[in-house]
Amino acid sequence: MTKSAILTDLTQCIGCEACALACKEINELPKDTPLHLLTASTWSAVEHRNGVNIRRQCMHCEEPACVSACPVAALEKTASGAVIYDAGKCMGCRYCMVACPFAVPKYEWDKSIPTIQKCILCYETALSRGAEPACTSACPTGATIFGERDALIREAQNRIAAHPDAYVNHIYGLREAGGTSVLYLSAVPFAELGFPANIMEDAYPKLTWKVLSKIPNIVSTGGVLLLGIWWIINRRIKLQDDHPSSV
Amino acid sequence: MKLSLPKPTFWTIVLAFIWILGIYAVFTRFYYGLGAATNLSDQFPWGIWIGFDILVGVGLAAGGFVVAATVYIFNLKTYKPIARSTILTAFLGYLLVIGALMIDLGKPYNVWHPLIMWNHHSVMFEVGWCVMLYTTVLFLEFLPVLFERFRLERPLRIIRSITVPLVIVGVLLSTLHQSSLGTLYVIVPDKLHPLWYSGLLPLYFFISAIAAGLAMVIFESYLSARAFGKELEFSLLAQLSRIIVLVLGLYLMVRVQDMSSRGALQYVFDGSQESLYFLLEVGLGVLLPIILFLTPKIRNNTAGLFLGAVFTLLGFVMHRLNVAITGMTRSAGVEYVPTWMELAVTASIVAAGIVIFRYAAKYLPIFSQEEAFGVHPPPLVSAGKSGRLAMGLLGVLLLAILIGLGFGWMQEKPVDLHLRIESAVAQPASTLELPLPIVYEMGEASPGAVTFSHENHIDPSAPQCKTCHSGIFKMRPLKAGALGSVQMDLLYEKKQCGICHNGDDAFNVEDNCEVCHVAIDE
């Protein structure tokens, strides 16, 4: 399976929200909620800011923070590139929401048994059958297109090279958070469009893994150390009891 | 010694009041959802149930492992008199943390999933395992108390024989667990304010938990001594205070050094809300207790020790809340203030802890210095009025969860979250820009110019662009300035405009030449 991705060229987006509606359609999400904001019932949104229409969705990171954060492996980065979610495994701790640097996972705050809600790149409905996600196929202008990640990166580079004055020289998602499967081109610097500006270029899971990978060492050294201390002290006390005069 | 409350009726009423509010809150959470009971939102997914009930609750239970290690591994038997009460506190603390977790979790019935669904890259996975294992260890460490109470000699001997390994496992688990709560926040470098974010968070959580655990021992010994008229092990507690000073000093030193190397010192006095909270935390919760414990006049009396312990605990609580709430506010973009229901649940849990501790202390050999076998255990009398009330209300609390879950399951009642969502992000009017009316170039023998108006074809609140684009009509040529060609033959064959202008969905082509073709001459 090739690693699929999405390239969204914000200069071509007319803000028609066809992608957002197509997403609701295929994922059977409630239609009565605003389309400009990612929520539990809007997995793909179009925000209008500073005169730019900004398509928002899960970034499908190459090394997702949410996947590393989930204690029960309910979130998974598939070989296809999609980060998918298994509500049956989820216990609702919301650590993925805290961990995601793009604040993508949303929650059903109005349900007594809530689940996490986010774009899964139409994994079940399209991707796993070799089809294209609903959003990109719905786009009238070709502003958001679907393809293989490397090919899309080349395409983005070509566009910037062909019209250097029409774009900022930055493919958002190429390196952000260690690289994402959703890439953006824009005429306006991304920081002005509400894209997290101080995002790390390295993958987020590495931060916690640096700590977690020390656990075996802590446990083994700590165990030996404690046992040693106990043994030494106990022995001294025993010796003291046996030969009170010699100490 | 008879348990005597200053004004039993007054406290009973307060307790009942807190629990009734708590029960209502728990019911609301399970019937209407977390959104109805809390001020949590997509921007702020973790509130005081995590920040206080869990982060603080687990930390305060740290006295358990510190004292257990001191007594059983370092063999400082002098500390034995306080070992049991601290283990009891830790055990209760963990049980209540689990209780709080069950209310906060979206699917509490899946709480056991980490047992079989592994993700060893997840900090939360580690936290989950530590909670489960350490609660078991604490239970085993606490068992001797029960065995003594009910004079079960055989099991008592078995459990005593494994004390040392048990304590070692407990110490290791606690070390991992206390630090892993800090590790939780290591993955949010750009969300947590630089005054608190650090790669060393696990270390800070660990060190401060030791200080807090020791302070808790002083705090609790002082209160139980007053409540149960026990002799206070003063010299022990004074020694503890010296260790607290060392631990706090180390904690402060590492933190300041780390902040300066990360360039975070500039935020300390920048006058922001964060700087204020930080100064309060470090000033009242770290510097002040160090000063108090170092002042001989204060150190040398129990009330002074108690005061120092209170400030140490305060600093600890503020640190956890600052990490979980203050430090996360700016990046979240919304101000989180807990609802009264969140506070009521937290208060109910703390109250439950106190009540259970009182009864355990009264009916179990917690404070006995000698092994309790020679001593006559107190008679198992009924818990009395307030006891029955306490147990009753706890029962109702459980029932509320169950009923809430059951009802909530059957009918999902939506609360109006839109308001909250709308206010969270102010949104300018949609900038959906439709093209100007398109006038087609007239083909051969065309009866008149055809004007296509997007405005007349589209509902701006739900522009279903994809009905036409890019399936029936390509858009790219339009951008390039050339219209796609429309041909009458195709229209008659119900293609292009004819897909809709077929007589059913819109007026048909055959009888309505003049609606599209407007003759220009006359």
Side-chain angles (χ1 to χ4, degrees):
Chain A
M1 204 179 248
T2 53
K3 218 156 75 191
S4 20
I6 286 180
L7 170 63
T8 299
D9 186 338
L10 297 181
T11 66
Q12 290 191 20
C13 179
I14 56 169
C16 69
E17 296 170 345
C19 48
L21 286 165
C23 172
K24 282 183 180 257
E25 193 77 43
I26 196 160
N27 293 305
E28 293 167 2
L29 301 171
K31 296 226 171 62
D32 54 349
T33 52
L35 288 176
H36 64 262
L37 193 71
L38 287 186
T39 58
S41 50
T42 307
W43 295 355
S44 167
V46 180
E47 193 187 327
H48 312 286
R49 191 196 279 236
N50 295 344
V52 184
N53 306 304
I54 310 147
R55 161 142 216 246
R56 301 230 186 264
Q57 64 172 118
C58 173
M59 298 292 286
H60 297 281
C61 305
E62 299 287 278
E63 288 177 63
C66 60
V67 170
S68 91
C70 181
V72 291
L75 289 152
E76 182 196 342
K77 174 86 178 172
T78 64
S80 67
V83 176
I84 59 170
Y85 168 71
D86 182 347
K89 288 183 174 177
C90 177
M91 60 184 205
C93 71
R94 307 189 293 285
Y95 187 36
C96 51
M97 304 179 70
V98 174
C100 174
F102 302 102
V104 164
K106 302 297 178 198
Y107 210 48
E108 297 174 308
W109 296 103
D110 51 353
K111 298 243 175 90
S112 60
I113 307 289
T115 53
I116 292 288
Q117 301 285 322
K118 73 167 204 73
C119 159
I120 51 170
L121 215 58
C122 290
Y123 183 74
E124 276 132 57
T125 43
L127 218 55
S128 57
R129 300 178 195 165
E132 162 176 17
C135 54
T136 51
S137 65
C139 181
T141 64
T144 184
I145 53 174
F146 174 79
E148 205 248 321
R149 184 165 188 264
D150 292 334
L152 287 182
I153 290 172
R154 270 195 305 281
E155 166 70 21
Q157 283 162 343
N158 289 346
R159 284 191 201 178
I160 293 179
H163 303 282
D165 41 312
Y167 296 102
V168 288
N169 189 8
H170 183 176
I171 304 173
Y172 195 94
L174 184 61
R175 274 189 280 275
E176 276 75 10
T180 61
S181 294
V182 173
L183 308 159
Y184 286 91
L185 284 177
S186 166
V188 185
F190 288 98
E192 291 168 31
L193 300 178
F195 284 80
N198 51 356
I199 206 100
M200 289 202 317
E201 295 225 326
D202 219 352
Y204 282 74
K206 284 187 190 157
L207 291 171
T208 36
W209 183 240
K210 243 185 256 165
V211 182
L212 288 177
S213 55
K214 297 206 174 81
I215 289 179
N217 283 338
I218 295 178
V219 171
S220 48
T221 2
V224 170
L225 208 69
L226 289 173
L227 210 65
I229 293 175
W230 170 78
W231 186 74
I232 292 171
I233 292 181
N234 226 37
R235 220 177 114 77
R236 276 198 13 208
I237 291 176
K238 265 223 185 88
L239 285 177
Q240 216 163 22
D241 291 351
D242 292 351
H243 315 278
S245 53
S246 69
V247 182
Chain B
M1 181 72 213
K2 207 170 170 320
L3 177 142
S4 59
L5 294 155
K7 258 191 205 168
T9 42
F10 171 73
W11 286 109
T12 321
I13 289 167
V14 170
L15 209 66
F17 184 66
I18 292 177
W19 274 344
I20 285 166
L21 294 184
I23 288 162
Y24 177 79
V26 168
F27 178 79
T28 309
R29 179 262 170 266
F30 281 105
Y31 188 65
Y32 295 109
L34 278 161
T38 70
N39 262 342
L40 298 176
S41 59
D42 284 335
Q43 289 80 26
F44 219 99
W46 280 0
I48 57 161
W49 287 352
I50 300 282
F52 187 88
D53 301 10
I54 309 238
L55 296 189
V56 172
V58 167
L60 294 184
F65 88 90
V66 179
V67 172
T70 316
V71 172
Y72 296 104
I73 295 175
F74 296 96
N75 236 322
L76 295 175
K77 296 278 191 246
T78 37
Y79 285 95
K80 205 162 184 189
I82 52 174
R84 285 199 164 167
S85 66
T86 49
I87 288 172
L88 171 66
T89 319
F91 182 44
L92 280 182
Y94 269 72
L95 285 185
L96 295 172
V97 162
I98 293 174
L101 201 63
M102 299 309 266
I103 299 170
D104 185 80
L105 283 183
K107 302 179 165 195
Y109 51 85
N110 279 351
V111 70
W112 56 275
H113 275 184
L115 281 175
I116 53 160
M117 299 164 188
W118 286 32
N119 177 14
H120 64 283
H121 282 268
S122 165
V123 185
M124 193 58 94
F125 174 76
E126 192 208 332
V127 170
W129 268 89
C130 284
V131 173
M132 287 189 281
L133 290 178
Y134 191 49
T135 310
T136 315
V137 168
L138 281 170
F139 176 66
L140 293 177
E141 287 181 355
F142 181 67
L143 266 184
V145 177
L146 290 180
F147 289 160
E148 275 174 25
R149 174 64 187 80
F150 298 102
R151 294 158 182 256
L152 303 168
E153 268 192 70
R154 168 83 66 73
L156 189 64
R157 230 174 294 129
I158 298 173
I159 202 99
R160 284 232 176 96
S161 65
I162 58 164
T163 302
V164 169
L166 210 56
V167 170
I168 290 180
V169 172
V171 171
L172 290 174
L173 283 172
S174 287
T175 308
L176 293 182
H177 188 202
Q178 298 294 349
S179 57
S180 63
L181 290 178
T183 318
L184 280 179
Y185 288 88
V186 167
I187 206 166
V188 290
D190 28 46
K191 287 187 179 175
L192 184 57
H193 192 278
L195 281 173
W196 291 283
Y197 182 81
S198 160
L200 294 181
L201 270 172
L203 187 68
Y204 299 160
F205 268 60
F206 179 62
I207 305 182
S208 57
I210 293 182
L214 294 173
M216 196 66 189
V217 174
I218 298 182
F219 179 81
E220 209 175 78
S221 303
Y222 180 80
L223 287 187
S224 342
R226 283 177 55 120
F228 303 106
K230 285 285 300 180
E231 197 73 13
L232 201 62
E233 298 87 0
F234 179 77
S235 61
L236 284 187
L237 300 185
Q239 276 167 15
L240 286 189
S241 79
R242 249 164 268 151
I243 304 175
I244 294 180
V245 171
L246 278 179
V247 175
L248 284 182
L250 179 77
Y251 174 62
L252 191 65
M253 205 181 70
V254 182
R255 253 184 101 177
V256 170
Q257 193 141 46
D258 173 49
M259 279 174 71
S260 86
S261 74
R262 277 182 305 109
L265 284 177
Q266 50 167 320
Y267 302 104
V268 174
F269 295 108
D270 70 358
S272 61
Q273 184 177 328
E274 285 91 349
S275 76
L276 178 71
Y277 277 79
F278 176 81
L279 288 173
L280 278 177
E281 174 201 325
V282 175
L284 289 183
V286 184
L287 284 175
L288 187 62
I290 292 182
I291 295 171
L292 287 177
F293 283 141
L294 285 180
T295 315
K297 246 197 189 141
I298 296 170
R299 191 182 51 206
N300 287 336
N301 68 73
T302 43
L305 283 183
F306 179 67
L307 200 68
V310 167
F311 278 108
T312 310
L313 292 174
L314 190 73
F316 171 81
V317 173
M318 284 197 289
H319 177 248
R320 297 305 192 261
L321 289 180
N322 279 341
V323 169
I325 292 162
T326 320
M328 297 292 273
T329 301
R330 190 179 293 256
S331 64
V334 293
E335 192 85 30
Y336 161 81
V337 180
T339 59
W340 70 262
M341 286 196 256
E342 289 176 84
L343 295 174
V345 168
T346 300
S348 300
I349 286 172
V350 173
I354 295 172
V355 168
I356 300 176
F357 185 88
R358 284 195 83 105
Y359 282 97
K362 190 174 177 192
Y363 297 113
L364 296 173
I366 302 292
F367 288 105
S368 50
Q369 221 143 330
E370 307 304 320
E371 304 301 345
F373 267 91
V375 188
H376 227 48
L380 251 189
V381 289
S382 75
K385 230 189 206 159
S386 56
R388 248 175 282 139
L389 180 80
M391 293 308 149
L393 283 171
L394 274 180
V396 177
L397 197 73
L398 275 177
L399 214 64
I401 298 183
L402 287 178
I403 295 175
L405 261 174
F407 270 114
W409 218 324
M410 283 192 286
Q411 68 185 102
E412 300 281 332
K413 265 207 184 165
V415 274
D416 196 14
L417 285 173
H418 296 278
L419 269 178
R420 198 182 295 169
I421 291 167
E422 290 291 351
S423 62
V425 173
Q427 179 66 16
S430 167
T431 55
L432 176 60
E433 273 175 43
L434 293 174
L436 294 170
I438 294 161
V439 184
Y440 282 90
E441 213 167 290
M442 280 161 60
E444 207 179 320
S446 173
V450 179
T451 305
F452 175 83
S453 149
H454 269 92
E455 220 178 307
N456 291 342
H457 277 90
I458 282 168
D459 170 8
S461 65
Q464 305 266 9
C465 313
K466 73 163 176 170
T467 314
C468 295
H469 304 299
S470 297
I472 315 174
F473 299 104
K474 285 267 174 293
M475 284 185 84
R476 235 66 76 82
L478 183 122
K479 282 198 128 187
L483 291 179
S485 70
V486 175
Q487 284 171 352
M488 222 39 229
D489 315 352
L490 294 174
L491 262 60
Y492 292 132
E493 290 169 25
K494 312 246 177 292
K495 287 188 182 137
Q496 296 189 325
C497 315
I499 287 181
C500 300
H501 290 282
N502 53 13
D504 290 334
D505 301 319
F507 58 83
N508 70 10
V509 178
E510 287 79 8
D511 308 325
N512 296 288
C513 319
E514 72 292 350
V515 183
C516 288
H517 291 282
V518 180
I520 25 169
D521 16 301
E522 279 90 32

